[in-house]
């Protein structure tokens, strides 16, 4: 066989092999982005407003990519975590401000994820205390016995269950004409609508995503040579997460939003009953549980690791899964303590839907701090990776509009 015939498949094989080696942080953080709180926010959006928030889900995909691409660029080029970079360029006080913002977001997200998992347990008659014991114990064992690579693979495997929401949306038989007309109807003057706009923005662009992905590419030891593959990893993840969000919204709008428009969802059980009637009780409940478990578990892993890593960075202690527990006691201690505290709080009883939507609105209100530092740091990178030129203008506008509208919609919706 002529040599030039063999060259093409070998080249593609090499390219795909390199992508497979680099990919992971982007997909993990994006699957975590479609967490329990995000699923609940999308479900509430469809139940209360039909398809009127569907267009927003699609518009948020490129915005999400722009934000996380800057994160990837910072981590790969600098080789440092986000907290370390802020401390290096702006001082310790600003670093602590940013980290405190992160911790608040992580605590809110952790409670939301664990509450979602507790709700899934209740679907099958499992007491919340037993669910929390199993989840918290399992995640602590995973971290104590695994490396970053093994944790990443576990997170990707768990997160893949979120794709069942596409099946749920398809089986809900949405009306294409209603989807188009509804998505183009935007009641900007309605405070309750704006509140859910803010919740959706906060559900997609979260402070902990910036810190996690930057630390992940550093821990994975990616280099500037890997930047293109890491961008593709992030872009694919951004599309997947928003398709899942749109699927949840469509499924809810086509069922509960159609039969009982404007209804409030007060529990995971109610959401499951609303979006799975056409699948039958057993199959519908199982598929919904798989999707919720995938979304909540991968997000629990991400937010807990993010808080422990970033606090470790600022405190100047070892903060990586590559270190054994006895070499990084602060890191593993903070990781375990946050899981245990969150599990105990959720076991005490909490309204999942109100908590989850409130957490997403809080994320939107915190965006100016997180995205502001992200933009300023990207402008300080060395050539040729510095954020500059036309793309800097685009990124700046995306960040300004996202943060500004998130705060505006959040404040407006609270009144």
């Amino acid at each position: 066989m002529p040599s030039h015939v063999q060259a093409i498949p070998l080249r593609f094989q090499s390219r795909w092999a390199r992508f497979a080696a680099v990919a992971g942080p982007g997909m993990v953080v994006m699957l975590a982005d479609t967490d329990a709180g995000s699923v609940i926010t999308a479900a509430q959006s469809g139940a209360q407003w039909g398809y009127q928030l569907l267009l927003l889900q699609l518009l948020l995909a490129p915005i999400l990519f722009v934000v996380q691409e800057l994160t990837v660029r910072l981590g790969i080029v600098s080789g440092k975590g986000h907290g370390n970079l802020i401390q290096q360029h702006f001082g310790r006080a600003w670093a602590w401000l940013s980290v405190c913002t992160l911790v608040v977001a992580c605590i809110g997200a952790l409670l939301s994820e664990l509450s979602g998992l507790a709700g899934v347990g209740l679907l099958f008659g499992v007491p919340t205390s037993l669910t929390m014991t199993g989840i918290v114990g399992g995640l602590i064992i995973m971290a104590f016995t695994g490396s970053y690579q093994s944790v990443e693979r576990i997170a990707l495997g768990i997160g893949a269950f979120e794709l069942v929401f596409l099946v749920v949306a398809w089986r809900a038989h949405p009306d294409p004409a209603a989807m188009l007309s509804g998505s183009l109807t935007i009641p900007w003057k309605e405070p309750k609508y704006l509140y859910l706009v803010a919740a959706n923005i906060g559900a997609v662009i979260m402070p902990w995503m910036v810190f996690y992905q930057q630390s992940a590419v550093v821990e994975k030891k990616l280099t500037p040579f890997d930047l293109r593959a890491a961008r593709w990893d992030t872009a694919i993840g951004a599309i997947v997460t928003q398709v899942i969000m749109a699927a949840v919204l469509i499924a809810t709008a086509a069922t509960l939003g159609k039969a009982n428009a404007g209804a409030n969802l007060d529990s995971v059980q109610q959401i499951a009953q609303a979006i799975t009637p056409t699948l039958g009780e057993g199959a519908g409940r199982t598929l919904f549980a798989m999707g919720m478990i995938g979304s909540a578990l991968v997000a629990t892993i991400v937010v807990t690791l993010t808080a422990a890593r970033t606090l470790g960075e600022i405190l100047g202690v070892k903060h990586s899964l590559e270190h054994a527990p006895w070499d990084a006691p602060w890191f593993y201690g903070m990781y375990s303590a946050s899981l245990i505290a969150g599990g105990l709080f959720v076991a005490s009883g909490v309204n999942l839907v109100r908590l989850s939507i409130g957490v997403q609105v809080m994320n939107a209100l915190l965006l100016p701090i997180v995205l502001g530092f992200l933009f300023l740091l990207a402008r300080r990178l060395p050539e040729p990776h510095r954020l500059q030129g036309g793309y800097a203008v685009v990124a700046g506008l995306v960040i300004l509009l996202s943060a500004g509208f998130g705060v505006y919609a959040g404040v407006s919706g609270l009144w």
Side-chain angles (χ1 to χ4, degrees):
M1 183 180 291
S3 60
H4 73 276
V5 175
Q6 294 179 340
I8 294 176
L10 286 174
R11 187 175 72 245
F12 278 101
Q13 182 182 10
S14 175
R15 186 180 301 169
W16 280 106
R18 189 63 197 172
F19 175 76
V22 171
M27 285 299 299
V28 168
V29 79
M30 295 302 181
L31 288 172
D33 186 32
T34 318
D35 62 350
S38 298
V39 169
I40 290 165
T41 300
Q44 188 79 291
S45 299
Q48 291 195 349
W49 295 96
Y51 302 110
Q52 293 177 336
L53 283 158
L54 179 59
L55 181 61
L56 177 64
Q57 306 302 331
L58 304 179
L59 293 175
L60 284 172
I63 293 173
L64 179 57
F65 170 76
V66 169
V67 170
Q68 293 304 121
E69 188 275 335
L70 295 181
T71 302
V72 169
R73 196 186 306 196
L74 285 174
I76 287 179
V77 175
S78 71
K80 296 181 178 180
H82 201 66
N84 269 342
L85 272 187
I86 294 174
Q87 183 169 298
Q88 176 185 332
H89 289 278
F90 300 102
R92 194 169 182 83
W94 285 110
W96 272 109
L97 172 65
S98 182
V99 169
C100 288
T101 300
L102 169 72
V103 170
V104 169
C106 284
I107 291 172
L110 177 61
L111 294 178
S112 179
E113 312 317 329
L114 293 178
S115 296
L117 291 166
V120 171
L122 292 174
L123 278 175
F124 297 92
V126 180
T128 298
S129 57
L130 186 58
T131 300
M132 290 298 98
T133 301
I135 294 297
V136 170
L139 291 181
I140 290 175
I141 292 171
M142 178 201 71
F144 273 67
T145 58
S147 64
Y148 170 77
Q149 294 286 358
S150 63
V151 171
E152 182 181 274
R153 293 190 188 101
I154 291 170
L156 285 171
I158 294 170
F161 285 119
E162 296 177 38
L163 297 176
V164 302
F165 287 126
L166 304 182
V167 178
V168 175
W170 175 66
R171 291 294 299 271
H173 304 294
D175 181 359
M179 288 172 57
L180 179 60
S181 62
S183 63
L184 297 177
T185 304
I186 304 175
W188 294 107
K189 296 182 180 180
E190 291 288 341
K192 291 183 179 179
Y193 178 85
L194 291 175
Y195 183 77
L196 275 177
V197 168
N200 277 278
I201 293 174
V204 173
I205 305 172
M206 303 189 195
W208 48 262
M209 293 177 65
V210 171
F211 286 83
Y212 176 84
Q213 192 168 3
Q214 187 164 335
S215 295
V217 298
V218 172
E219 192 163 344
K220 201 166 183 177
K221 298 178 174 61
L222 301 186
T223 68
F225 179 73
D226 304 313
L227 189 54
R228 182 176 181 180
R231 283 170 172 156
W232 274 107
D233 178 38
T234 303
I236 293 170
I239 293 171
V240 169
T241 190
Q242 287 312 108
V243 167
I244 293 171
M245 285 283 284
V248 174
L249 186 150
I250 290 169
T252 315
T255 52
L256 188 60
K258 185 177 179 181
N260 189 14
N264 283 311
L265 301 176
D266 296 317
S267 66
V268 168
Q269 295 93 319
Q270 194 174 4
I271 296 172
Q273 292 167 4
I275 70 176
T276 59
T278 58
L279 300 176
E281 183 179 352
R285 185 171 57 179
T286 301
L287 284 176
F288 176 79
M290 290 169 61
M292 183 64 82
I293 288 171
S295 64
L297 265 182
V298 70
T300 301
I301 293 169
V302 167
V303 299
T304 314
L305 285 176
T306 301
R309 277 174 176 163
T310 308
L311 284 171
E313 283 181 20
I314 299 300
L315 293 173
V317 298
K318 292 180 179 179
H319 51 272
S320 168
L321 285 167
E322 297 306 316
H323 298 296
W326 50 86
D327 291 327
W330 279 100
F331 169 70
Y332 286 95
M334 288 183 287
Y335 173 85
S336 302
S338 58
L339 279 172
I340 293 170
L344 290 173
F345 181 83
V346 170
S348 68
V350 65
N351 186 303
L352 169 61
V353 175
R354 291 181 182 176
L355 170 66
S356 298
I357 294 176
V359 167
Q360 311 313 335
V361 173
M362 178 190 70
N363 285 337
L365 296 175
L366 294 175
L367 284 180
I369 297 174
V370 178
L371 298 186
F373 277 123
L374 181 65
F375 181 79
L376 293 174
L377 288 172
R379 294 280 289 168
R380 296 191 177 199
L381 284 174
E383 299 284 359
H385 303 291
R386 179 179 301 160
L387 179 63
Q388 58 189 340
Y391 188 69
V393 175
V394 172
L397 288 173
V398 165
I399 287 173
L400 181 63
L401 291 173
S402 299
F405 188 74
V407 171
Y408 167 76
V411 172
S412 299
L414 292 172
W415 290 101

